[in-house]
Amino acid sequence: MDLVFIALFIILSVGTATHATDAPTSAPIDVVFVDFLSRHNSNRHRTARYDDLVLRRGDPFDFNIKFGRLYNKSLDKIRLEFCYGNKPSLQDGSLFYVPVVPDTKLNPNETGWSASVLDIRDAQLNVRVNLPATLPIGLWRLQISTKLSEAKVLQTFNIRDGFYIITNAWSVNDQVYMEDEGLRQEYVLNEMGKIFEGTYYNPRGRIWFYGQFDKSVLPTVIYLLERTQLSISDRANVVKIARAVSAIVNSNDEGGLLVGDWSGKYHEGISPWAWSESPAVFRKYVQSGYRPVKFGQCWVFAGLTTTVLRTLGIPARTISNFMSAHDTDASLTVDKFFSDGNEVTGVNGDSIWNFHCWSDAWMTRDDLPPGYGGWQAVDATPQERSAGRFQLGPASLEAVKRGKVRFAYDVGFVFSEVNANLVRWQPDRYSRLLWRKTLVDWNHMGRKILTKRPGPIDYRTLAYDAVNIVDQYKYPKGTVESMNAYAEAARTGGLQPIYEAMTTRT
């Protein structure tokens, strides 16, 4: 969808009359003006801090329609037409017809489209429309068609101003529904956060301004989502949206938001350590003509991902995994090779980060068995390709905890990040592999997994406002549940022989 298409709307009715008349109703009624009641709706939808009109799906919204003559509810038929994209269609769910029926009241339990008339005053209708909680997120526009009751010919009026629809953590019918109001305030509405870095024994907090309500963010997020070519139905599915978010925040495939660089040479851009907020990255991206911004590392990718998710109404938090494995061959191990006491490089690409950051997003998972909804890992840092793109998640934390590494999406990679065994090898010419394992460390990875505690932020660089959520990702090491989870991961990942070898300690 072109972000400037609003400017191209042709207003079929500009309304030459300045007041209503009681002229004979021989012609369909003209639409002169529509007032979307932005302040009223923004307050109702908890979106007043956005620069544009933003509505949360699953809740009703009100607006006024001004006509060119007195409205006759017996003769005048009004149809609202909600349009999404450049070529709205009834077939693909990007166009919806909603008739305005006088003398009906909106059912508070309504889950589909419906419209009711709240008030009729001469030539003005006050209308309430219920927005289904399954709508595609993005920029919508409204057309209004009118006709006389016995006529077949419609006249249609394009409304100049569009509005955004996002997800709704307050609606029980939305995939992102979150019951606790305190958590909604933290993970949807809070603009300030802290990202933890350093070491597991001495973590430090980096203040981060998510700025999801900044005027540069939402239009840019929608623009980036358009570049993923998500189908209309996928744009209504939070699982697919979150997966797309992990791809568009990095620049590797869709020419997305941020370029990753770990070289230490940043003269062509901005050092990753210099960033402390998300809106600055978005503004630079727009000002450069939508060219990827240089440079970022994991905490910047994670901060931006959390911003994008919260911008779209999806509850999100930024987490830091201390001693984080990068398992390049899906072996559930990080293998280190030594000869004569020196590490041998180039054997494989496995590595361990002192810390690695990503985001968790909250959603239901109807594509998985019951019990695997809730927090889902979403990582935009480009590490390994998934389905041909640098994207990761959403990976159910419950699936990670239980070792369900074949569950969508990328559960196996996240399982290794927090669970992989550190295995040391040394040359052995009598071994079939020419290497012999000398150490298996079961406890090296995932020492702590920190996120900001809901509530007030500590603006110092200390970690007093951190909460360790490692128990949400894995069972305590050495427990039966932990061993069963690792065995399940090895079995379903086709790595049972490796698991059996690992359980034989040397």
Side-chain angles (χ1 to χ4, degrees):
M1 186 191 311
D2 192 337
L3 288 180
V4 300
F5 78 89
I6 295 178
L8 302 180
F9 280 178
I10 300 174
I11 303 178
L12 298 183
S13 171
V14 296
T16 56
T18 59
H19 62 277
T21 70
D22 55 358
T25 55
S26 59
I29 196 167
D30 290 338
V31 176
V32 175
F33 178 72
V34 171
D35 181 0
F36 281 126
L37 304 175
S38 294
R39 178 175 296 182
H40 166 77
N41 286 308
S42 294
N43 289 332
R44 179 174 192 159
H45 286 253
R46 304 171 185 83
T47 57
R49 284 186 278 174
Y50 289 97
D51 196 57
D52 302 288
L53 176 58
V54 177
L55 306 173
R56 299 190 190 274
R57 63 187 192 179
D59 279 348
F61 82 106
D62 305 336
F63 57 93
N64 293 331
I65 306 174
K66 176 75 173 179
F67 297 113
R69 61 167 171 78
L70 297 179
Y71 170 71
N72 186 322
K73 65 182 181 180
S74 298
L75 294 177
D76 293 316
K77 302 302 178 185
I78 312 297
R79 186 176 75 186
L80 309 176
E81 301 172 3
F82 290 90
C83 309
Y84 183 92
N86 292 323
K87 297 180 179 180
S89 165
L90 291 170
Q91 286 71 31
D92 66 9
S94 58
L95 173 63
F96 295 92
Y97 292 157
V98 185
V100 176
V101 182
D103 304 322
T104 61
K105 293 185 178 180
L106 196 65
N107 183 350
N109 298 318
E110 177 65 61
T111 59
W113 285 101
S114 60
S116 63
V117 177
L118 300 181
D119 188 35
I120 303 175
R121 294 191 180 182
D122 297 329
Q124 180 170 289
L125 293 188
N126 180 219
V127 178
R128 174 165 293 174
V129 173
N130 187 69
L131 299 173
T134 55
L135 289 178
I137 63 171
L139 188 60
W140 287 74
R141 59 186 176 89
L142 173 65
Q143 296 178 166
I144 300 177
S145 291
T146 68
K147 74 181 188 70
L148 296 177
S149 59
E150 301 302 324
K152 295 183 179 180
V153 178
L154 291 169
Q155 63 177 2
T156 300
F157 302 85
N158 290 319
I159 310 307
R160 185 195 305 269
D161 297 323
F163 51 88
Y164 292 96
I165 291 179
I166 62 173
T167 63
N168 190 353
W170 286 262
S171 171
V172 295
N173 298 311
D174 201 299
Q175 288 175 279
V176 302
Y177 173 66
M178 181 174 267
E179 185 176 8
D180 188 283
E181 176 61 19
L183 298 184
R184 292 191 294 240
Q185 291 291 326
E186 177 71 28
Y187 297 129
V188 179
L189 300 181
N190 194 356
E191 292 188 272
M192 293 300 303
K194 185 179 279 190
I195 302 174
F196 297 95
E197 56 193 28
T199 62
Y200 72 90
Y201 51 84
N202 186 28
R204 304 182 306 275
R206 169 185 289 268
I207 302 297
W208 192 269
F209 178 59
Y210 293 117
Q212 62 266 35
F213 304 113
D214 186 273
K215 65 180 181 180
S216 66
V217 175
L218 179 57
T220 307
V221 169
I222 299 304
Y223 167 80
L224 287 166
L225 281 176
E226 287 295 326
R227 300 186 66 165
T228 68
Q229 302 299 311
L230 281 177
S231 67
I232 298 297
S233 61
D234 285 347
R235 295 177 204 181
N237 186 335
V238 175
V239 175
K240 297 299 180 67
I241 293 168
R243 187 156 176 79
V245 166
S246 74
I248 62 175
V249 171
N250 69 67
S251 65
N252 292 58
D253 298 305
E254 281 82 17
L257 190 59
L258 185 68
V259 178
D261 194 302
W262 289 261
S263 68
K265 300 176 182 179
Y266 306 121
H267 60 279
E268 293 184 354
I270 297 174
S271 167
W273 298 99
W275 300 111
S276 61
E277 61 165 280
S278 297
V281 180
F282 280 93
R283 289 192 292 269
K284 190 167 185 62
Y285 179 73
V286 174
Q287 292 165 1
S288 68
Y290 300 96
R291 294 182 179 179
V293 176
K294 300 176 180 180
F295 294 101
Q297 292 183 10
C298 67
W299 64 92
V300 188
F301 285 109
L304 290 170
T305 301
T306 298
T307 294
V308 172
L309 293 167
R310 291 186 185 182
T311 297
L312 299 175
I314 303 170
R317 64 188 184 187
T318 305
I319 71 100
S320 301
N321 178 37
F322 289 88
M323 304 310 294
S324 189
H326 184 171
D327 176 14
T328 59
D329 55 6
S331 65
L332 307 183
T333 63
V334 171
D335 299 289
K336 296 293 184 179
F337 298 85
F338 293 86
S339 179
D340 297 327
N342 298 314
E343 184 173 358
V344 179
T345 60
V347 180
N348 68 10
D350 291 352
S351 59
I352 304 171
W353 301 97
N354 282 342
F355 70 94
H356 178 59
C357 304
W358 61 80
S359 301
D360 287 342
W362 181 271
M363 67 191 74
T364 59
R365 289 299 299 267
D366 295 334
D367 58 320
L368 298 179
Y372 291 95
W375 288 116
Q376 316 282 316
V378 180
D379 191 352
T381 301
Q383 296 184 88
E384 299 293 328
R385 290 190 179 274
S386 173
R389 289 178 172 169
F390 283 99
Q391 58 188 349
L392 186 149
S396 164
L397 268 60
E398 189 63 27
V400 172
K401 189 172 184 177
R402 297 185 186 185
K404 303 292 185 181
V405 299
R406 290 300 184 189
F407 279 11
Y409 294 91
D410 310 307
V411 170
F413 191 87
V414 181
F415 182 90
S416 284
E417 286 184 300
V418 301
N419 282 296
N421 292 327
L422 174 60
V423 183
R424 294 178 181 268
W425 302 81
Q426 69 178 27
D428 184 348
R429 61 187 179 131
Y430 299 107
S431 169
R432 180 173 58 87
L433 300 175
L434 299 180
W435 294 90
R436 173 172 58 88
K437 66 182 175 69
T438 60
L439 174 70
V440 178
D441 188 342
W442 297 72
N443 300 307
H444 197 73
M445 309 302 171
R447 298 292 184 94
K448 286 181 180 177
I449 303 177
L450 299 184
T451 190
K452 177 189 168 295
R453 188 187 307 276
I457 191 170
D458 185 340
Y459 282 92
R460 296 172 294 178
T461 59
L462 304 173
Y464 294 145
D465 51 357
V467 57
N468 188 2
I469 58 169
V470 67
D471 62 319
Q472 297 181 27
Y473 272 87
K474 62 181 183 177
Y475 295 104
K477 283 294 186 179
T479 63
V480 172
E481 294 86 354
S482 175
M483 297 299 290
N484 288 342
Y486 203 102
E488 173 69 9
R491 181 185 65 81
T492 56
L495 301 169
Q496 191 67 24
I498 294 177
Y499 171 71
E500 291 171 351
M502 292 303 101
T503 56
T504 305
R505 300 179 185 246
T506 59

